[in-house]
C-alpha cells in the first residue's frame, strides 16, 4: 500500500514495497476538492480532519448499550484490514504482502514488507510470526523477534523446511524452522545498473539447496562460499542481435523443478524460460506478443498476459499467475492450458510490485490480493485468497475490514475513512466520511465525496448530508449545543443542521488563507480552524492539494477572522507568539473552558498548546522525535499524533496514530497509554487495553471515548 506525507511544500508518495517505518501514513487533511484517496488501490488520503469534542453533550438514548468499565467494542462498521495480528487466520491481519510459498509440510509462508516479517500460516489455520515483525525497517540476524528485516520481498523453501528470503534487494537470508535468521550473502552490489533497473531479487532454491536469484537481469546463484556466480548473463553482448525472447527483460519470479532446472516468468516478455543446470536458456512456452486473455496451446503457439508469479507441483507442472488474475498451467512438454479465467475484481499489485502465489500438494492455490472493486470480499485490505481445485475462491486469511457507504445497524454499516468524530446533545456520534465509489471513482478524476454521517448510541448509521463538488468538501467538524455541525472547506466554513440542511457560516475572501479545517468550538460560539494554502497541482488543474495546515485561526460568532498562531502553508517547530510560531501539519484539536487550544502537531510528533493570547508552547512529546514512551510530558514520545480531545476533568486524550494507541495526558502532567497495545495493529475487543487499528480521530464525553479508524468507529468505556 502507498503512503503520502508532506515535507516542506511538497507532497510525497511512498510505495508499499518500499514501506515507511510504520503502518500508517500521515493522512494529511485536505479541505476542499480532494485528491485521490484510492490511486492504484493505494489509499491516498487527503482526509477531512480532526475534530472537537461535544460541548456539553451526553451519551443518552433508549438503545444505548450498557457501559462496562474498561471495555472496548465496535460501535459501527468493519475494522478489519491492515495490521500485524497473529492468531486464527480469519482474524489475523496483514500488511503489504509481497510473496507466498508452501513448505514440505504444508505451511504457507508469507513475506511482508509492511510488517518487515516472515509469517507462517499452519495447515490448521493459525497465523504466527516466525521472524521480524515489529513494523520497523531494520537489519539484524537473530532468532524470532530479535531478527530484523528491511523489506522481505521473495521467499522460497528447501526440502529441509528452511526458508530463503530476498531482503530489500540487498541480502539473501536463511530462516530455519526455529526462526533463526542468518545472512548468506550481501548482494547489494549486484544492483549496479541504471536507475531504470529495479532493486528487487526474485529467488528460488533447487533440490540440492542452491539458491538462485535475479540481479540486473542476470540469473545468479550462490556458491558454497556465499559468493554470487552468474549462470546466465542476459545483457551481455551475446544478446545483441538475437531474438528478443531470448533476453531477460524484467524477470518477476523463479521456480526450480525436481531436476534442478530453473524456470523464469518475465513480466515484460510474455514467455516462460527454462535454464538448465549447465546454464542453457530456452523458451518453453509463449511468444513475443502478449494477449489478454491468453491463448492456450503448445509452446510458442500459446500466449500469456503480463506474468506475475510462477510455481510448480510435484510432477513439475508449472503454474503462472497473470496480472489479470488468470492462472495458467504449463506441462513439462510446454502445453499451456487455463486453470482459472481472469478475475478483474482482484488485483495484487501496481507498477512493478510483487504478487504472492503458491500451490499446495492438494492442488489449492494461494494468492495475495487487495480488492479493487465494490464486490471484492476484502476491498482495500490485504488478504490471502484460496482457490480450490474446483475453482471456488474464498478468503483464506485476513480480517476483512470492508469499506463502503452503506447505512444500517452496527457492523452492517460500511465506512470508507471516517474522521472528525463529534458528539451531539443526543449522544449521537457524527463523523465525516470519505465515500469511494469504485464504479465512478476514476471517471470522476478521482474526486471523492464528503459525507456527514450520524451514528446513534445503538450503532445505527445514517447519512445526513453530502458535499461533493469539484472545488469543495468537508474538513474537520465540531458540534454546538443545538446539534449543528460546523465543517471546514475551501475559503468557507459551513453549518450543517441536524436535518442535513446546509448554510454558510463564513466566507473568506481571497486575501484569507485557503482550506479551513474546523478544530473546535468554544462556549461563546467561536470556531477554531487550522488553515493551509491551496494551489493546483502541476499539470493537473482539477486537483487542489493543501499545503500543510500551519496556521490556526479564530472565527468569532460575528464572523470576524483572526490569526491566532502560525503561518498557513509553512512547516516547522517554533514556540512563541502568534504569527512567529510554526507548526508541521496540524491534525485535530480541542479548546478548554478558559480558551486554551490544544492541537496534535502531527509531523512534529508533539502536542501543542495555544493560549487565548496566541502564545504557543509544546505541551508533550519531543519535537521531531517519533517513538513511543509514557511518563512525564517532556520525556514522553508520540509517533504521528493526529487528534487530541479533552474530557470534563481537564485530561487530554491523544490519537497516537503510528503507535496505534490512544494516550492520556493528565492535568498533573503525566502521559499514559489507555487504549491499544504499542506495536500491535488490528482489533481485539473486550478488556482494555486491547488492540486497535491506527486511530484517526477521537471524541470523548464523560467516561466514554469514541475512536474512528479507517473502516469504522469504536466505543471505549473507560
Amino acid at each position: 500500500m502507498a503512503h503520502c506525507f508532506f515535507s516542506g511544500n511538497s507532497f510525497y508518495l511512498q510505495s508499499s514495497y518500499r514501506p515507511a517505518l510504520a503502518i500508517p501514513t500521515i493522512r494529511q487533511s485536505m479541505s476542499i476538492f480532494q485528491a485521490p484517496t484510492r490511486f492504484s488501490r493505494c489509499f491516498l488520503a487527503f482526509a477531512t480532519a480532526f475534530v472537537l469534542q461535544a460541548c456539553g453533550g451526553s451519551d443518552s438514548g433508549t438503545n444505548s448499550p450498557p457501559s462496562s468499565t474498561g471495555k472496548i467494542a465496535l460501535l459501527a462498521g468493519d475494522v478489519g484490514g491492515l495490521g500485524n495480528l497473529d492468531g486464527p487466520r480469519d482474524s489475523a491481519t496483514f500488511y503489504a504482502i509481497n510473496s507466498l510459498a508452501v513448505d514440505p509440510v504444508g505451511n504457507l509462508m508469507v513475506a511482508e514488507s509492511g510488517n518487515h516479517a516472515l509469517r507462517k500460516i499452519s495447515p490448521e489455520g493459525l497465523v504466527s510470526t516466525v521472524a521480524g515483525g515489529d513494523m520497523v525497517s531494520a537489519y539484524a540476524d537473530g532468532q524470532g523477534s530479535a531478527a530484523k528485516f528491511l523489506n522481505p520481498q521473495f521467499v522460497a523453501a528447501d526440502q529441509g523446511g528452511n526458508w530463503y528470503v530476498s531482503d530489500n534487494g540487498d541480502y539473501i537470508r536463511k530462516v530455519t524452522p526455529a526462526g533463526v535468521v542468518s545472512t548468506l550473502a550481501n548482494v547489494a552490489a549486484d544492483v549496479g545498473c541504471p536507475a531504470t533497473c529495479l532493486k528487487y531479487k526474485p529467488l528460488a532454491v533447487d533440490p540440492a539447496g542452491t539458491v538462485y536469484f535475479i540481479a540486473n537481469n542476470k540469473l545468479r546463484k550462490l556458491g558454497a562460499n556465499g559468493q554470487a556466480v552468474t549462470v546466465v548473463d542476459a545483457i551481455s553482448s551475446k544478446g545483441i542481435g538475437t531474438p528478443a525472447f531470448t533476453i531477460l527483460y524484467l524477470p518477476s519470479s523463479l521456480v526450480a523443478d525436481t531436476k534442478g532446472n530453473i524456470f523464469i516468468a518475465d513480466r515484460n516478455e510474455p514467455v516462460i524460460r527454462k535454464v538448465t543446470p549447465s546454464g542453457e536458456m530456452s523458451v518453453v512456452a509463449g511468444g513475443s506478443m502478449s494477449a489478454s486473455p491468453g491463448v492456450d496451446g503448445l509452446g510458442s503457439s500459446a500466449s500469456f498476459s503480463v506474468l506475475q508469479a510462477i510455481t510448480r507441483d510435484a510432477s513439475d507442472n508449472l503454474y503462472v499467475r497473470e496480472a489479470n488474475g488468470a492462472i495458467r498451467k504449463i506441462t513439462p512438454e510446454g502445453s499451456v492450458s487455463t486453470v482459472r479465467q481472469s478475475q478483474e475484481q482482484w488485483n495484487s499489485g501496481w507498477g512493478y510490485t510483487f504478487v504472492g502465489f503458491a500451490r499446495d500438494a492438494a492442488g489449492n492455490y494461494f494468492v495475495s490480493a487487495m480488492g479493487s472493486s465494490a464486490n471484492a470480499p476484502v476491498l482495500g485490505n490485504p488478504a490471502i485468497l484460496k482457490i480450490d481445485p474446483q475453482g471456488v475462491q474464498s478468503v483464506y486469511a485476513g480480517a476483512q475490514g470492508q469499506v463502503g457507504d452503506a447505512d444500517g445497524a452496527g457492523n452492517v454499516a460500511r465506512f470508507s475513512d471516517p474522521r472528525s468524530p463529534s458528539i451531539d446533545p443526543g449522544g449521537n456520534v457524527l463523523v465525516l466520511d470519505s465515500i469511494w465509489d469504485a464504479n465512478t471513482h476514476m471517471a470522476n478524476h478521482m474526486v471523492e465525496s464528503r459525507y456527514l454521517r450520524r451514528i446513534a448510541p445503538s450503532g445505527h448509521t445514517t447519512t445526513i448530508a453530502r458535499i461533493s463538488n469539484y472545488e469543495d468538501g468537508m474538513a474537520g467538524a465540531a458540534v454546538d449545543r443545538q446539534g449543528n455541525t460546523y465543517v471546514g472547506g475551501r475559503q468557507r466554513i459551513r453549518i450543517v443542521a441536524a436535518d442535513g440542511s446546509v448554510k454558510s457560516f463564513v466566507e473568506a475572501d481571497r486575501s484569507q488563507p485557503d482550506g479551513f479545517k474546523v478544530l473546535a468550538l468554544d462556549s461563546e460560539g467561536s470556531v477554531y480552524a487550522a488553515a493551509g494554502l491551496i494551489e493546483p497541482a502541476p499539470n493537473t488543474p482539477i486537483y487542489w492539494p493543501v499545503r500543510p495546515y500551519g496556521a490556526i485561526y479564530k472565527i468569532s460568532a460575528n464572523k470576524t477572522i483572526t490569526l491566532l498562531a502560525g503561518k498557513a502553508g509553512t512547516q516547522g517547530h517554533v514556540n512563541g507568539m502568534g504569527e512567529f510560531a510554526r507548526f508541521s501539519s496540524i491534525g485535530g484539536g480541542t479548546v478548554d473552558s478558559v480558551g486554551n487550544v490544544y492541537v496534535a502537531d502531527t509531523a512534529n510528533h508533539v502536542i501543542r498548546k495555544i493560549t487565548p493570547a496566541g502564545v504557543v508552547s509544546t505541551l508533550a512529546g519531543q519535537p521531531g522525535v517519533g517513538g513511543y514512551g509514557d511518563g512525564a510530558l517532556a520525556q514522553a514520545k508520540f509517533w504521528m499524533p493526529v487528534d487530541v480531545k479533552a474530557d470534563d476533568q481537564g485530561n487530554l486524550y491523544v490519537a497516537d496514530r503510528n503507535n496505534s494507541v490512544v494516550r492520556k495526558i493528565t492535568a498533573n502532567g503525566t502521559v499514559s497509554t489507555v487504549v491499544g497495545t504499542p506495536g500491535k495493529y488490528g482489533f481485539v475487543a473486550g478488556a482494555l487495553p486491547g488492540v486497535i487499528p491506527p486511530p484517526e480521530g477521537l471524541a470523548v464525553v464523560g467516561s466514554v471515548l469514541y475512536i474512528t479508524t479507517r473502516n469504522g468507529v469504536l466505543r471505549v468505556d473507560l
Side-chain angles (χ1 to χ4, degrees), residues 244-601:
F245 60 82
T246 65
I247 305 172
L248 295 178
Y249 276 82
L250 189 60
S252 57
S253 185
L254 311 177
V255 69
D257 69 6
T258 58
K259 301 177 180 63
N261 300 301
I262 304 297
F263 294 87
I264 305 170
D266 196 320
R267 190 177 179 91
N268 276 12
E269 192 74 20
V271 296
I272 306 298
R273 297 183 177 87
K274 173 183 176 180
V275 180
T276 67
S278 62
E280 297 177 2
M281 186 169 69
S282 60
V283 174
V284 297
S288 58
M289 300 296 292
S290 63
S292 184
V295 178
D296 295 339
L298 182 65
S300 60
S301 67
S303 62
F304 299 95
S305 180
V306 177
L307 298 171
Q308 285 189 318
I310 188 169
T311 188
R312 69 167 179 88
D313 63 19
S315 300
D316 284 339
N317 296 298
L318 303 175
Y319 303 85
V320 292
R321 180 55 152 83
E322 298 177 308
N324 61 14
I327 297 175
R328 314 285 297 284
K329 176 182 178 180
I330 304 101
T331 67
E333 296 76 31
S335 179
V336 179
S337 59
T338 299
V339 175
R340 180 168 174 79
Q341 298 291 342
S342 64
Q343 302 292 308
E344 297 291 349
Q345 69 264 35
W346 283 98
N347 203 328
S348 302
W350 50 91
Y352 298 121
T353 192
F354 320 115
V355 58
F357 182 57
R359 186 182 188 275
D360 66 13
N364 300 298
Y365 303 93
F366 300 92
V367 181
S368 61
M370 237 175 136
S372 59
S373 77
N375 62 351
V378 286
L379 176 61
N381 294 308
I384 298 170
L385 303 182
K386 176 183 176 180
I387 304 168
D388 69 17
Q390 289 72 47
V392 177
Q393 177 178 288
S394 60
V395 178
Y396 181 70
Q400 295 195 22
Q402 291 185 331
V403 303
D405 61 356
D407 289 341
N411 61 4
V412 174
R414 292 289 177 264
F415 298 86
S416 179
D417 194 7
R419 304 286 184 99
S420 302
S422 301
I423 315 296
D424 72 10
N428 303 293
V429 180
L430 297 171
V431 299
L432 300 182
D433 198 13
S434 307
I435 304 300
W436 178 59
D437 186 333
N439 296 317
T440 62
H441 191 56
M442 294 297 293
N444 288 340
H445 305 286
M446 300 183 182
V447 176
E448 70 174 11
S449 301
R450 297 296 187 193
Y451 288 58
L452 179 63
R453 308 181 75 187
R454 179 191 293 131
I455 308 162
S458 65
H460 193 282
T461 299
T462 305
T463 300
I464 61 174
R466 172 183 178 182
I467 299 175
S468 59
N469 61 50
Y470 278 160
E471 294 193 1
D472 216 341
M474 292 184 281
V479 179
D480 66 14
R481 298 180 186 272
Q482 289 73 48
N484 300 303
T485 305
Y486 291 70
V487 296
R490 186 183 181 199
Q491 289 193 306
R492 62 177 58 88
I493 294 174
R494 296 184 179 92
I495 301 174
V496 183
D499 63 3
S501 60
V502 181
K503 65 179 181 180
S504 176
F505 171 66
V506 67
E507 301 282 338
D509 61 41
R510 290 292 178 179
S511 66
Q512 300 287 347
D514 220 338
F516 284 118
K517 177 174 64 174
V518 171
L519 301 175
L521 278 166
D522 67 17
S523 58
E524 298 178 349
S526 296
V527 178
Y528 298 84
L533 294 178
I534 299 177
E535 57 187 13
N539 304 315
T540 52
I542 62 170
Y543 298 147
W544 295 88
V546 174
R547 293 170 63 188
Y549 287 110
I552 298 173
Y553 282 78
K554 179 179 179 180
I555 301 98
S556 65
N558 65 9
K559 305 182 181 182
T560 301
I561 303 174
T562 306
L563 175 67
L564 186 63
K567 183 178 181 181
T570 64
Q571 288 185 296
H573 182 276
V574 179
N575 291 324
M577 178 67 75
E579 63 180 328
F580 299 103
R582 293 291 181 268
F583 303 87
S584 286
S585 303
I586 297 169
T590 190
V591 61
D592 66 17
S593 59
V594 296
N596 295 304
V597 177
Y598 301 88
V599 297
D601 192 352

Side-chain angles (χ1 to χ4, degrees), residues 38 44 73 91 129 138 152 155 226 230 254 291 321 357 385 389 418 480 546 549 621 645 675 685-686 691:
R38 304 294 191 274
L44 293 181
S91 60
T129 300
V155 60
T230 297
L254 311 177
R321 180 55 152 83
F357 182 57
L385 303 182
D480 66 14
V546 174
Y549 287 110
K645 293 293 178 286
V675 184
V691 177

Side-chain angles (χ1 to χ4, degrees), residues 35-46:
T37 53
R38 304 294 191 274
F39 181 74
S40 299
R41 297 164 344 284
C42 307
F43 296 85
L44 293 181
F46 298 101

